[in-house]
Amino acid sequence: MSQVETFATMPMWAGFVGFVLVVLALDLYVLGGRHAHRVRPREALFWVAVWMTLAALFGALMWWYLDATLGRTVAHQKTLEFYTGYLIELSLSVDNMFVFSLIFGYFVVPMELQRRVLLYGVLGAIVMRVCMILAGVWLLSKFDWLFYAFGLLLVFTGARMLAKADHHPDIARNPLVRLLRSSMRITKDYHGESFFVRIDGLRYATPMFVVLLMIEASDVVFAVDSIPAIFAVTTDPFVVFTSNIFAIMGLRAMYFLLADMRERFRYLKHGLAAVLIIIGGKMLAAPWFHVPVQWSLGAVGLILLASVGASLILPRRAAAKAARTKG
């Protein structure tokens, strides 16, 4: 890991960043992102499908380019790394999505205002991810031992997540919320989409601003777990960045589709904890045992399917058993 290796050229980086900026501009100025409205499940499902399709097409385009320039072996390897990284980031982002739901619920954010907050959250997340990914890749290129430190971090995080799988965080006791409430003038009510307002000549923050900072802070915490996880698959900064961005861009739509289903997917957090532990173990075992990327992709997929299946099946069985007992 003495140097950072990537197949991407500067035009490819510029092209992808340009694509992201164009999509965000379309959202803001053409598709109604600047105007408050309530996102319906059908609209959310459409955008989830759009982002998943775009991610699949991007992977196919990557394979086509690499097959023509660097050969089929490299094309297969990098494309598998992209899809595995995308699946890991998307699955781990589901837990962050449930945190968003708790934040919105605690601050009683109107449904029509949530889309705007998440859009700004995406913008902030992209900037933070760029900085954290580049810093992580650079650090790994300089200090090989950090790879194993990341592995330990993932195992620890996964074990902690498993131990607290049924725990709901108390937003009121969050240090950031307490700091903001003690150091800023904050209005009691929302003032449309405004983050700040003037009342009697004094500048007040609105609850929208507090919610935005909470969303950004939760994404920082999430990134500390998710970015080391993808380093277990690849250290190519272009693959890490693109898979992260596709997952983030699809997260907002997925929130409106699944945010109210936290209780229905009760075992999903257990599955995500298992994913972190397995990925961390893979990093720690790297000197003695090489795990092919396709094995990682298959393991993550199977764990997620099993946790979702258990969430859907076991409550039904419990309810049926309770009904039989009552009868």
Side-chain angles (χ1 to χ4, degrees):
M1 290 186 190
S2 59
Q3 61 181 358
V4 176
E5 295 183 358
T6 181
F7 65 87
T9 61
M10 284 305 298
M12 293 175 69
W13 278 96
F16 184 77
V17 172
F19 161 75
V20 173
L21 293 177
V22 167
V23 170
L24 290 174
L26 286 173
D27 195 331
L28 271 172
Y29 299 104
V30 178
L31 301 176
R34 300 184 69 186
H35 306 288
H37 80 277
R38 183 168 184 163
V39 178
R40 303 294 179 180
R42 181 176 296 182
E43 179 185 352
L45 179 61
F46 170 78
W47 283 110
V48 168
V50 166
W51 280 111
M52 287 186 171
T53 301
L54 287 174
L57 290 175
F58 181 83
L61 183 63
M62 179 189 296
W63 183 92
W64 174 80
Y65 169 79
L66 291 173
D67 184 53
T69 55
L70 298 178
R72 186 148 301 184
T73 301
V74 175
H76 286 335
Q77 178 70 17
K78 291 296 182 180
T79 305
L80 270 175
E81 289 176 0
F82 170 78
Y83 284 134
T84 304
Y86 173 67
L87 180 60
I88 290 173
E89 296 300 313
L90 190 63
S91 60
L92 293 177
S93 69
V94 172
D95 187 53
N96 204 40
M97 179 187 68
F98 290 144
V99 174
F100 291 173
S101 179
L102 291 174
I103 293 172
F104 286 147
Y106 175 79
F107 287 99
V108 197
V109 182
M111 286 293 294
E112 61 271 16
L113 299 181
Q114 293 179 10
R115 183 171 184 264
R116 186 69 179 275
V117 175
L118 288 177
L119 177 59
Y120 282 105
V122 166
L123 290 170
I126 290 174
V127 174
M128 286 188 291
R129 293 303 172 85
V130 172
C131 297
M132 293 180 72
I133 289 169
L134 293 179
V137 171
W138 182 81
L139 287 171
L140 284 173
S141 70
K142 299 296 182 181
F143 308 102
D144 289 350
W145 57 267
L146 276 179
F147 185 78
Y148 307 106
F150 285 162
L152 283 173
L153 172 65
L154 292 178
V155 171
F156 172 77
T157 303
R160 185 182 61 183
M161 183 185 293
L162 196 60
K164 297 184 176 181
D166 298 320
H167 173 71
H168 294 262
D170 187 354
I171 304 298
R173 299 179 63 182
N174 183 278
L176 179 59
V177 173
R178 298 170 69 177
L179 174 64
L180 292 174
R181 284 177 170 170
S182 64
S183 60
M184 299 181 66
R185 290 185 291 266
I186 303 173
T187 62
K188 184 177 181 181
D189 301 318
Y190 289 90
H191 292 258
E193 297 181 342
S194 299
F195 293 114
F196 295 95
V197 293
R198 283 195 175 277
I199 301 176
D200 297 330
L202 297 176
R203 188 179 180 87
Y204 284 76
T206 70
M208 279 279 284
F209 179 70
V210 180
V211 171
L212 177 62
L213 291 185
M214 287 293 294
I215 293 292
E216 298 291 6
S218 69
D219 188 75
V220 171
V221 174
F222 161 67
V224 170
D225 297 334
S226 64
I227 290 178
I230 198 174
F231 284 146
V233 177
T234 180
T235 55
D236 186 319
F238 188 72
V239 175
V240 175
F241 178 67
T242 53
S243 58
N244 260 269
I245 296 304
F246 273 113
I248 291 172
M249 297 295 280
L251 171 62
R252 191 162 55 111
M254 190 175 292
Y255 165 79
F256 291 108
L257 187 64
L258 300 176
D260 294 330
M261 300 185 182
R262 178 184 177 91
E263 295 305 322
R264 179 175 297 181
F265 295 107
R266 55 182 300 186
Y267 294 112
L268 183 57
K269 195 158 190 174
H270 297 77
L272 297 177
V275 167
L276 288 176
I277 292 171
I278 289 174
I279 292 174
K282 173 182 181 295
M283 297 175 80
L284 294 175
W288 305 280
F289 183 71
H290 172 68
V291 179
V293 177
Q294 55 267 33
W295 288 17
S296 300
L297 179 60
V300 172
L302 286 174
I303 291 171
L304 294 177
L305 286 175
S307 59
V308 170
S311 300
L312 297 177
I313 294 172
L314 293 182
R316 293 178 184 175
R317 290 182 176 176
K321 184 177 180 180
R324 287 195 301 269
T325 302
K326 185 177 181 181

